[in-house]
């Protein structure tokens, strides 16, 4: 696989060859995937495969939760300049939510922001077309969202949001932590598929509250406390029960490309199996990710 990627990359340097002329690889039969890759420099998609298909967002919605909080409150975002304990706490919560995907922090800001009112404001502000609130107000992780809408979110953060909001969010997802706050290993997809620089906001759901004994990731220094579990939900149009892994972020110098890969797996798939599959598939997109460098994972 790696050799074929290198060959395609080399061919792309030859006059007249474009990776867009070659069909991007299909997801393997043991996973369902939807993909959107966007070249910000050329202002165009290089890959769109089922990119308007809605999935439950899992922790990817934390990008919207964070962005809405910044728009609603315009808080001080430099820890050393915060004047109150509450302000300092909010900065630390936002950091942990973006870097380590801390669920409890997301729940705090979700409630404070008015639950689905957060999504309504963000849909209107950004112009999202495939995002809708969860059936039950408290279940932020069951927000419905499409890969194309996630691309819109990243483009808004990078090109339209106030500079201090952009810098805060992007700095923190560039400082992504390998170990999530719930001890699951976040290093699937983008972090293993591509060489730096990249940023990542990952999502996962239906694997259990914590990893099986002996399979937990060593927790980073940002860990603060375990948040409340996200309750289960009944089946709907969007798959609310299959194990899922989402990898989203930017790849290349200057956040050249936005990469979004959503995936679900058959029940019974192990975390390692799912992690390896989405990483392998994300890596196979290399020729369609402008600015990407080969990864080592």
């Amino acid at each position: 696989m790696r050799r074929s990627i290198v060959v395609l990359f080399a061919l792309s340097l030859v006059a007249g060859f474009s990776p867009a002329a070659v069909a991007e690889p299909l997801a393997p039969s043991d996973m369902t995937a939807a993909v959107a890759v966007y070249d910000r420099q050329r202002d165009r998609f290089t890959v769109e495969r089922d990119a308007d298909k809605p999935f439950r967002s899992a922790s990817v919605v934390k990008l919207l939760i964070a962005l809405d909080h910044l728009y609603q409150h315009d808080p001080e975002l430099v820890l050393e300049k915060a004047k109150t304990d509450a302000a300092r706490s909010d900065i630390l919560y936002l950091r942990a939510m973006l870097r380590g995907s801390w669920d409890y922090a997301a729940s705090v800001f979700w409630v404070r922001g008015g639950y689905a009112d957060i999504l309504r404001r963000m849909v209107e502000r950004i112009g999202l077309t495939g995002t809708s609130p969860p059936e039950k107000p408290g279940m932020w992780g069951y927000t419905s969202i499409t890969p194309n809408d996630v691309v819109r979110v990243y483009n808004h953060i990078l090109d339209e949001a106030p500079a201090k909001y952009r810098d805060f969010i992007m700095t923190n997802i560039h400082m992504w932590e390998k170990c999530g706050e719930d001890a699951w290993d976040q290093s699937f997809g983008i972090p293993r598929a591509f060489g730096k620089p990249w940023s990542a906001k990952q999502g996962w759901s239906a694997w259990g509250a914590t990893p099986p004994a002996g399979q937990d990731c060593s927790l980073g220094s940002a860990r603060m406390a375990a948040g409340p579990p996200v309750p289960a939900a009944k089946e709907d149009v969007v798959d609310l029960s299959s194990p899922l892994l989402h990898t989203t972020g930017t790849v290349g110098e200057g956040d050249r490309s936005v990469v979004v890969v959503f995936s679900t797996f058959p029940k019974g798939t192990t975390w390692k199996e799912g992690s390896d599959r989405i990483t392998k598939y994300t890596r196979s997109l290399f020729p369609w990710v402008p600015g990407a460098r080969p990864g080592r994972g």
Side-chain angles (χ1 to χ4, degrees):
M1 174 62 74
R2 179 167 294 182
R3 185 180 177 207
S4 65
I5 288 172
V6 172
V7 170
L8 278 171
F9 178 72
L11 286 172
S12 70
L13 302 179
V14 178
F17 177 82
S18 169
V22 181
E24 70 273 6
L26 295 173
S29 59
D30 49 9
M31 65 180 280
T32 298
V35 185
V37 179
Y38 187 81
D39 181 352
R40 295 182 57 248
Q41 183 172 307
R42 296 184 178 179
D43 192 24
R44 67 181 181 88
F45 285 94
T46 61
V47 177
E48 285 184 279
R49 184 177 293 280
D50 292 328
D52 287 317
K53 179 180 178 178
F55 285 71
R56 71 188 191 275
S57 67
S59 290
V60 176
V61 76
K62 290 169 184 171
L63 291 169
L64 292 176
I65 294 172
L67 186 59
D68 181 75
H69 177 79
L70 301 185
Y71 273 121
Q72 292 302 304
H73 302 283
D74 191 30
E76 172 59 59
L77 295 172
V78 178
L79 188 64
E80 294 75 15
K81 295 182 179 180
K83 296 181 179 180
T84 67
D85 287 343
R88 286 186 284 273
S89 178
D90 279 357
I91 293 171
L92 293 173
Y93 271 45
L94 287 167
R95 282 184 183 178
M97 183 177 74
L98 292 170
R99 299 182 190 183
S101 208
W102 191 27
D103 286 350
Y104 181 73
S107 295
V108 168
F109 293 118
W110 179 255
V111 172
R112 193 186 300 177
Y115 301 87
D117 287 346
I118 293 171
L119 301 178
R120 296 186 185 99
R121 289 190 291 264
M122 289 291 94
V123 164
E124 181 177 358
R125 182 182 292 273
I126 301 175
L128 304 179
T129 60
T131 299
S132 56
E135 183 178 322
K136 296 182 179 179
M139 296 163 48
W140 49 261
Y142 288 84
T143 295
S144 176
I145 197 166
T146 65
N148 272 345
D149 265 6
V150 178
V151 170
R152 293 182 182 103
V153 171
Y154 277 106
N155 283 338
H156 179 88
I157 292 169
L158 288 161
D159 298 327
E160 300 178 32
K164 78 172 192 175
Y165 302 171
R166 175 198 66 215
D167 292 346
F168 181 82
I169 291 174
M170 295 309 299
T171 294
N172 279 290
I173 63 175
H174 273 285
M175 296 179 71
W176 157 97
E177 294 176 345
K178 180 178 185 293
C179 300
E181 295 290 334
D182 56 4
W184 290 105
D185 185 342
Q186 295 195 78
S187 61
F188 55 84
I190 290 171
R192 284 166 52 194
F194 304 113
K196 291 184 177 180
W198 47 258
S199 67
K201 183 66 204 80
Q202 312 283 64
W204 58 94
S205 178
W207 301 95
T210 57
Q215 297 182 33
D216 59 310
C217 187
S218 298
L219 295 173
S221 59
R223 182 167 175 81
M224 302 172 84
V230 178
K234 68 180 185 180
E235 288 288 347
D236 206 337
V237 175
V238 176
D239 181 349
L240 298 178
S241 61
S242 295
L244 70 75
L245 294 173
H246 298 335
T247 185
T248 80
T250 58
V251 177
E253 295 289 346
D255 300 301
R256 167 70 185 268
S257 293
V258 178
V259 177
V260 179
V261 180
F262 283 0
S263 65
T264 60
F265 303 89
K267 292 179 181 179
T269 302
T270 68
W271 179 271
K272 185 179 187 308
E273 290 169 342
S275 179
D276 288 347
R277 289 173 197 167
I278 189 174
T279 299
K280 182 178 180 180
Y281 182 61
T282 304
R283 186 181 293 119
S284 73
L285 298 171
F286 180 90
W288 293 271
V289 182
R293 296 174 179 172
R296 297 180 181 180

